[in-house]
């Protein structure tokens, strides 16, 4: 009887635990669901780059001081959130207080207030402070003390602000200059920092008890090991108001135009898909929301021309679409190169439209945004494969003129075919863009198609010291896509020696205004003395070889045209010498000595090594003389350009 009573009491107690546990679990799930909705409402987001994270003051990296009008215009543009990167160390005093300057804290508060008043959600963080946090292994106590002091002051200052203000522990945290290394101690140190950050904020009073907090993976990279390490920290903290973050700047080779990766191809697209899928499975699918705190292309740091324009548009279209599919909010990294803070206008309106249309659906695009028409070539129908992305093609325009299907163009499935007759009418036979067509679709942004008339680019021989050496080029309407550099004796030349294809703007870049291909100091530092074979790849598909020889700091470059001329002249010279010697040897000889000399001279005349040396000498002489021609040509072209 006692056993039955004991069993009955146990059942009652278990039922009571279950009854109380179910609502608690349901409440936790409801909070997670609410936070997911909160994160999804943050998109689209925008970064106030190169401002408060600058090493000097807020204008030292080229941007104007932030104004309330600018913040208001950003909200008018449709943005829902703003991330304000802040570097604090050079605004902090010494130990033990590490006091943040009051005037600087007030300035950050002012911009936060403007942003909240414009109905923007806000993230503030420790940004380039990662540059001193990375010394944590050697300076553990000092780094932790400064880190804790910073967050104690920031959390205390903003503790009564609403939930629409978020704190992010540390931007792209790292602990060495090796961004790819996954050392266990790196994960341990980052975990310690994030736990300390969480403890400080949650115990600082006010609204900080429930404020959404953002935690980054190591270097903000979405590799599985780094996602897993952050997931372990979040699980340990057992807090349903935590948000994970990573950054995405595309498949690296494509992002900086390196290794011959010049298009947003299958490899680049799969890299994007896999990165977002990993983050989704690790966090979002398990109830932990994700913010992509920065996105863009790394090549933009050097020039917006690093990646071909149409490929930029395809990348931005896809990343916007796929982030939405994975329920992640995106925050555009803008250090001033996208939305001009002086004019309050977009630098690239086509890119702006692709991003804007991506907030509500997909835009269509095509395999290419350029049709190259070679000089004197037979005009043919040209097919352009379309990526409709769920839309339908509706019209093709030449400026404001609506072109006629069946006469000017055809549609064959997903292929747009430009008829030869249309192209013939559009070509003006002036090098460069002759016409701009606009493809329109049932939804999304328009797609621009440039009709470009060109001739094969022509290169000129030149010589100069490496610091000022350039290759003079008649681009003839074409544009440079990438460049290869290999040693004639074998091996790749220049930086990133794992690939012959060099990085755009880091190793070389075209100057279409002056008609030159220029090289950087970084390129020459990695080039050894000797002969280097270059291959210039153009967007028309043309591939042009060129030879440079480096001797110390001196560079001699020979175009393929001049090399062919030199070889022909050398052959003629060698043939002439051989005929002359043979003629001399055919004269009557009066002594055995003369006969012997004649035979010796004939043998020397046909030695291949001697002929080769003569050719090399002529090549050098030709390169030297070509420099005068180059100088005259360049001077003429530049003077003509000033008229």
């Amino acid at each position: 009887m006692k056993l039955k009573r004991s069993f009955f009491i146990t059942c009652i107690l278990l039922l009571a635990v279950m009854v109380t546990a179910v609502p608690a679990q349901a409440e936790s799930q409801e909070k997670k669901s609410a936070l997911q909705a909160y994160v999804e409402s943050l998109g689209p987001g925008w970064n106030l780059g190169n401002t408060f994270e600058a090493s000097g003051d807020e204008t030292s990296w080229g941007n104007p001081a932030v104004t309330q009008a600018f913040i208001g215009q950003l909200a008018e543009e449709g943005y829902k959130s703003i991330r304000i990167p802040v570097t604090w160390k050079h605004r902090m005093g010494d130990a033990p207080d590490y006091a943040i300057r009051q005037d600087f804290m007030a300035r950050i508060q002012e911009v936060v207030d403007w942003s909240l008043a414009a109905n923007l959600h806000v993230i503030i963080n420790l940004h380039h402070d990662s540059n001193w946090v990375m010394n944590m292994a050697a300076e553990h106590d000092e780094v932790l003390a400064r880190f804790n002091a910073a967050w104690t002051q920031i959390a205390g200052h903003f503790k009564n602000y609403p939930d629409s203000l978020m704190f992010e522990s540390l931007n792209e945290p790292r602990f060495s200059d090796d961004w790819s290394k996954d050392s266990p101690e790196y994960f341990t140190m980052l975990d310690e920092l994030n736990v300390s950050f969480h403890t400080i904020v949650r115990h600082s009073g006010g609204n900080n008890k429930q404020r959404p907090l953002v935690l980054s993976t190591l270097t903000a990279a979405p590799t599985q090991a780094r996602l897993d390490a952050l997931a372990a920290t979040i699980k340990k903290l057992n807090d349903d108001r935590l948000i994970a973050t990573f950054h995405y700047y595309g498949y690296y080779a494509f992002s900086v135009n390196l290794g011959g990766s010049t298009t947003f191809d299958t490899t680049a697209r799969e890299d994007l898909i896999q990165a977002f899928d990993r983050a989704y499975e690790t966090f979002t699918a398990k109830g932990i929301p994700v913010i992509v705190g920065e996105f863009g292309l790394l090549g933009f740091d050097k020039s917006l021309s690093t990646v071909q324009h149409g490929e930029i548009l395809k990348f931005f279209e896809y990343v916007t679409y796929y982030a939405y599919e994975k329920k992640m909010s995106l925050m555009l990294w803008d250090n001033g190169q996208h939305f001009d803070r002086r004019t309050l206008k977009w630098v690239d309106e086509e890119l702006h439209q692709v991003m804007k249309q991506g907030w509500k659906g997909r835009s269509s695009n095509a395999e290419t945004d350029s049709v190259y028409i070679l000089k004197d070539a037979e005009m043919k129908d040209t097919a352009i494969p379309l990526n409709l992305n769920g839309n339908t093609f509706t019209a093709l325009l030449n400026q404001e003129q609506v072109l006629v299907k069946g006469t000017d163009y055809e549609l064959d499935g997903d292929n747009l075919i430009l008829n030869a007759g249309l192209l013939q009418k559009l070509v003006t036979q002036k090098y460069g863009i002759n016409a701009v067509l606009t493809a329109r679709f049932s939804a999304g942004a328009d797609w621009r198609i440039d009709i470009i008339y060109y001739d094969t680019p022509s290169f000129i021989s030149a010589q100069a010291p490496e610091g000022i050496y350039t290759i003079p080029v008649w681009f003839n309407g074409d544009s440079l896509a990438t460049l290869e550099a290999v040693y004639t004796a074998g091996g790749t030349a220049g930086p990133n020696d794992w690939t012959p294809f060099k990085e755009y703007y880091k190793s070389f870049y075209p100057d279409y205004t002056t008609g030159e291909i220029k090289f950087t100091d970084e390129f020459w530092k990695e080039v050894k003395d000797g002969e280097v074979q270059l291959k210039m790849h153009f967007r028309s598909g043309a591939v042009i070889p060129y030879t440079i020889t480096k001797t110390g700091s001196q560079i001699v470059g020979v175009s393929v045209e001049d090399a062919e001329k030199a070889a022909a002249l050398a052959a003629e010279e060698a043939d002439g010498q051989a005929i002359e010697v043979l003629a001399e040897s055919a004269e009557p000889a009066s002594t055995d000595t003369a006969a012997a000399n004649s035979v010796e001279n004939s043998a020397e005349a046909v030695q291949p090594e001697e002929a080769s040396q003569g050719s090399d000498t002529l090549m050098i002489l030709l390169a030297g003389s070509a420099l005068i021609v180059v100088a005259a040509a360049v001077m003429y072209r530049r003077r003509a350009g000033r008229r």
Side-chain angles (χ1 to χ4, degrees), residues 14 40 115 123 129 170 176 221 241-242 253 277 390 589 601 617:
L14 286 173
E40 290 181 39
S115 301
I123 298 175
D129 295 287
L170 184 63
S176 78
R241 300 288 285 173
L242 300 182
D277 283 356
N601 289 340
T617 302

Side-chain angles (χ1 to χ4, degrees), residues 465-484:
E466 63 182 41
I468 61 172
Y469 179 82
T470 66
I471 300 176
V473 186
W474 297 99
F475 287 102
N476 296 335
D478 212 339
S479 57
L480 191 64
T482 187
L483 175 151
E484 290 183 81

Side-chain angles (χ1 to χ4, degrees), residues 499-567:
T499 174
F501 290 92
K502 303 297 97 178
E503 184 175 336
Y504 219 85
Y505 279 99
K506 186 175 183 180
S507 291
F508 72 97
Y509 59 96
D511 188 328
Y512 298 107
T513 303
T514 61
E516 297 167 293
I517 293 176
K518 299 179 178 180
F519 297 88
T520 65
D521 291 340
E522 187 169 349
F523 174 77
W524 294 120
K525 286 177 184 177
E526 299 294 328
V527 176
K528 299 179 292 187
D529 282 6
E531 190 174 83
V532 178
Q533 300 295 330
L534 303 179
K535 284 185 181 179
M536 267 63 76
H537 295 252
F538 287 84
R539 301 203 187 278
S540 67
V543 181
I544 312 295
Y546 193 88
T547 302
I548 59 173
T549 301
K550 183 175 184 290
T551 307
S553 63
Q554 294 298 311
I555 310 298
V556 175
V558 180
S559 70
V560 66
E561 296 94 338
D562 287 342
E564 290 172 352
K565 291 175 184 176

Side-chain angles (χ1 to χ4, degrees), residues 269-283:
R269 186 167 54 254
E270 281 301 311
D271 182 88
L272 188 158
I273 290 170
Q274 291 173 19
F276 281 74
D277 283 356
R278 287 193 300 268
Y280 178 85
E281 294 299 331
T282 306
F283 294 117

Side-chain angles (χ1 to χ4, degrees), residues 422-438:
L422 171 66
L423 297 175
Q424 189 70 56
K425 288 189 294 184
L426 295 176
V427 168
T428 65
Q429 297 190 349
K430 291 182 179 179
Y431 292 147
I433 298 174
N434 283 202
V436 176
L437 303 182
T438 301

Side-chain angles (χ1 to χ4, degrees), residues 36 40 222-224 227-228 231 244 246 272-292 322-329:
Q36 177 63 42
E40 290 181 39
T223 63
Q224 193 60 58
L227 295 168
D228 287 343
F246 71 93
L272 188 158
I273 290 170
Q274 291 173 19
F276 281 74
D277 283 356
R278 287 193 300 268
Y280 178 85
E281 294 299 331
T282 306
F283 294 117
T284 313
K286 297 176 182 177
I288 302 167
V290 175
I291 294 173
V292 184
Y322 207 71
Y324 179 81
E325 286 289 296
K326 295 300 174 182
K327 304 181 186 304
M328 301 176 191
S329 62

Side-chain angles (χ1 to χ4, degrees), residues 19 87 114 116 220 241 243 249 267 273 275 280 294 338 397-398 424 437 469 473-474 497 520 525 546:
V19 168
T87 298
W114 289 342
L116 294 175
R241 300 288 285 173
I243 301 166
Y249 284 96
T267 300
I273 290 170
Y280 178 85
E294 295 177 16
H338 295 307
L397 287 76
N398 175 24
Q424 189 70 56
L437 303 182
Y469 179 82
V473 186
W474 297 99
D497 60 3
T520 65
K525 286 177 184 177
Y546 193 88

